[in-house]
Amino acid sequence: MRSFDAIVIGAGQSGPFLAARMAEKGMKVALIERKYLGGTCVNAGCMPTKTLVASARAAYVARNAGGYGVSIVGKIGIDMAVVRKRALTVTLEARNGLISWFAGMDDVSVIYGHARFESERTIMVNGEQLTAPRIYINVGARPAIPDMPGIGDIEFLTSTSIIALDTLPRHLVVIGGSYIGLEFAQMYRRFGADVTVVERGPTLASREDDDISDAIADILRAEGIAIHTGAHRIAFKKRADGIEVAVADGIADITASHVLVATGRVPNTDDLGLDRAGVATDTRGYIIVDDKLATNIEGIWALGDCNGHGAFTHTSYNDFEIAAANLLDGEDRKLSDRILAYALYIDPPLGRVGMSEKQARASGREIMISTRPMTKVGRAKERGETKGFMKVIADAQTKQILGAAILGIEGDEAIHGFIDAMNARTTYRELKWAVPIHPTVSELIPTLLGDLKKV
Ligand SMILES: Cc1cc2nc3c(=O)[nH]c(=O)nc-3n(C[C@H](O)[C@H](O)[C@H](O)COP(=O)(O)OP(=O)(O)OC[C@H]3O[C@@H](n4cnc5c(N)ncnc54)[C@H](O)[C@@H]3O)c2cc1C
């Protein structure tokens, strides 16, 4: 049995950084990864998808160049093999960067293989037993496959396998109208496929406020994407000319050439031997952690998507920061200090932080709201991209900003004005007096705050 000071299972967006920080402090660490260093973000998530989104936007800009006085002679073509290669190159650069980084780190043993708990302190990998007084789990999540009639009889794509596609589907049907599904829907529409989104719930991106969900649907419909919400009877049938997707009673069935299943993710905790260590999970398989990411078993922590407290690269990375600060820097960092922020990478993107309007209303606070359409943002007008709107919600008593959304050009960047202010725990009154740069999207933040009204 090999002994270490710490074992990290999974090389996602927490594990590698934590392993490196522990080694820096002289600890001997085993970092176990069953597939690729960098996990989902680098290999099947953020990096390849945002590279593909950039290719799709290039096609969109080229198609619309005429409106800007730029003439492009001839047909705008998409070479899916090149599109795919570009995404793969970005992924490989990041993955290889991690491989080289760890190759130069004597105190971290990178072990490729599937890790399983044998007991509270013992891990089995490649037939070898490893032990450590501290074990950090960073095993991430994978696409959930829903139990829908006929799904077992068809070939379908997931967010992982679609990244490797190097041909253009004739008609892509995306099952699931949430963050991952919508990004692929718009991307493939811009590549030239017919695209239909089928969503069981009443709105797209149903976690968002209805006005945001409606604006997202308008943006996608304007590009020719068909959207079926309230699809309560999704079923599949293999046919000679493709896959028949039955949507709901009374609505015509769709014939797809390809089906993408994007109906959420499940944590990779079912094949980890957690029961042998006695580590508790919730009913959906997420590892239960306390405010410092500790599980119910002393000496075992869970970081990243597998603890159910975030589904993003930056939340997983923040878990690393919390764990490292508490273990190595004598700090007292807590999960509950985190203000959730994220983006939806359709174009224009949605940048979000904190509470939605519906959450703020449900909290029982007295609230103030201000909204502004992107048609009233100079930068958006100059760029000819005025879809979407911005919204901020503040507490009428404390004057704290409770949440914000910017659905519009550069919304994923401009939202950081609110993210930074909220993390500084400043009130909206200070921000109102900021002098922003003209002409930007962010310059409207003080104006938006100046228009806050009690609701
Ligand atoms: C299509 C898509 C797009 C996304 N886009 C964004 C985005 O734009 N922005 C954003 O913030 N987030 C995005 N995400 C989410 C983001 O990728 C994840 O939240 C992020 O990777 C954090 O994951 P993690 O650190 O928890 O683990 P992961 O990155 O999932 O890594 C877990 C690692 O553990 C390994 N592993 C699992 N079980 C074992 C085992 N038993 N033994 C050994 N190794 C094991 C896995 O192979 C994997 O490498 C996207 C996800 C997808 C799928």
Side-chain angles (χ1 to χ4, degrees):
M1 182 171 331
R2 266 203 284 171
S3 296
F4 294 88
D5 296 315
I7 295 172
V8 177
I9 306 174
Q13 291 302 306
S14 306
F17 308 103
L18 183 61
R21 279 284 333 262
M22 290 192 290
E24 213 177 82
K25 292 273 181 179
M27 293 169 70
K28 299 265 179 235
V29 184
L31 173 61
I32 310 172
E33 170 53 54
R34 70 178 173 193
K35 202 156 186 202
Y36 300 128
L37 295 191
T40 309
C41 172
V42 167
N43 300 287
C46 333
M47 296 196 80
T49 56
K50 267 76 256 181
T51 310
L52 295 169
V53 164
S55 288
R57 175 156 169 91
Y60 175 80
V61 170
R63 269 187 215 114
N64 291 284
Y68 295 81
V70 178
S71 62
I72 296 178
V73 180
K75 195 171 169 277
I76 290 152
I78 310 288
D79 186 335
M80 288 302 290
V82 176
V83 166
R84 184 193 167 222
K85 192 166 167 229
R86 200 174 155 268
L88 192 61
T89 304
V90 170
T91 286
L92 288 179
E93 267 176 27
R95 190 197 302 163
N96 291 336
L98 284 167
I99 293 170
S100 315
W101 189 39
F102 281 104
M105 230 179 274
D106 291 341
D107 285 339
V108 179
S109 303
V110 177
I111 301 166
Y112 287 97
H114 180 95
R116 240 180 263 274
F117 279 89
E118 291 273 288
S119 72
E120 286 182 14
R121 296 283 171 267
T122 326
I123 300 293
M124 178 71 88
V125 56
N126 304 330
E128 187 189 7
Q129 283 192 329
L130 313 180
T131 186
R134 301 178 164 273
I135 299 176
Y136 293 90
I137 307 171
N138 176 219
V139 291
R142 61 179 186 274
I145 307 304
D147 186 16
M148 289 173 176
I151 198 161
D153 306 328
I154 62 156
E155 276 182 34
F156 59 86
L157 297 159
T158 65
S159 62
T160 306
S161 58
I162 197 170
I163 288 168
L165 207 61
D166 57 7
T167 53
L168 187 65
R170 181 180 48 74
H171 187 172
L172 178 69
V173 173
V174 179
I175 309 296
S178 201
Y179 306 87
I180 290 175
L182 297 181
E183 288 181 22
F184 282 110
Q186 188 186 44
M187 179 199 301
Y188 270 84
R189 181 65 193 143
R190 290 181 169 192
F191 289 151
D194 284 343
V195 175
T196 303
V197 176
V198 177
E199 163 60 40
R200 201 195 298 252
T203 58
L204 298 181
S206 59
R207 199 200 309 187
E208 306 302 337
D209 291 330
D210 286 351
D211 51 0
I212 291 177
S213 293
D214 291 346
I216 290 170
D218 288 346
I219 288 167
L220 298 179
R221 282 201 180 100
E223 292 193 29
I225 296 171
I227 297 169
H228 293 289
T229 50
H232 50 87
R233 186 183 63 90
I234 304 170
F236 307 94
K237 202 182 280 173
K238 205 172 168 175
R239 285 201 334 216
D241 58 343
I243 300 162
E244 183 185 294
V245 185
V247 171
D249 301 328
I251 297 177
D253 295 342
I254 309 156
T255 306
S257 63
H258 294 70
V259 169
L260 168 67
V261 172
T263 51
R265 294 176 63 77
V266 286
N268 291 322
T269 53
D270 48 342
D271 53 3
L272 200 51
L274 288 177
D275 48 335
R276 297 199 184 174
V279 173
T281 58
D282 68 14
T283 49
R284 295 180 304 156
Y286 289 101
I287 299 172
I288 298 168
V289 291
D290 67 12
D291 214 15
K292 293 189 170 181
L293 303 165
T295 68
N296 60 316
I297 301 296
E298 209 190 324
I300 304 179
W301 292 260
L303 319 178
D305 289 7
C306 69
N307 66 27
H309 288 277
F312 303 97
T313 285
H314 45 278
T315 46
S316 177
Y317 190 81
N318 182 233
D319 284 0
F320 142 65
E321 293 176 314
I322 293 169
N326 292 342
L327 174 68
L328 306 170
D329 305 330
E331 292 198 33
D332 182 29
R333 298 263 163 200
K334 295 189 286 298
L335 197 53
S336 53
D337 291 334
R338 181 157 79 207
I339 298 167
L340 185 65
Y342 54 89
L344 161 64
Y345 284 100
I346 57 163
D347 178 32
L350 168 68
R352 277 274 295 112
V353 59
M355 290 185 187
S356 60
E357 183 183 334
K358 58 188 170 193
Q359 285 172 326
R361 284 182 189 274
S363 74
R365 291 175 171 85
E366 194 186 351
I367 60 168
M368 302 169 84
I369 295 183
S370 172
T371 61
R372 188 174 189 89
M374 294 304 280
T375 49
K376 287 194 176 168
V377 176
R379 179 60 170 273
K381 285 198 262 192
E382 290 143 14
R383 293 273 294 263
E385 297 182 65
T386 52
K387 288 174 187 153
F389 68 101
M390 37 174 93
K391 166 154 80 170
V392 65
I393 303 129
D395 188 312
Q397 298 296 322
T398 65
K399 315 294 180 210
Q400 294 283 322
I401 300 166
L402 296 174
I406 304 181
L407 173 63
I409 182 171
E410 284 149 22
D412 56 328
E413 292 289 348
I415 196 71
H416 284 82
F418 290 118
I419 294 176
D420 293 344
M422 288 175 70
N423 277 282
R425 267 73 182 174
T426 187
T427 72
Y428 75 79
R429 287 200 278 220
E430 279 83 46
L431 215 56
K432 227 168 78 174
W433 288 101
V435 182
I437 296 170
H438 172 74
T440 57
V441 175
S442 302
E443 77 175 316
L444 272 303
I445 290 178
T447 314
L448 192 67
L449 293 169
D451 289 344
L452 275 166
K453 304 239 167 12
K454 276 192 195 168
V455 291

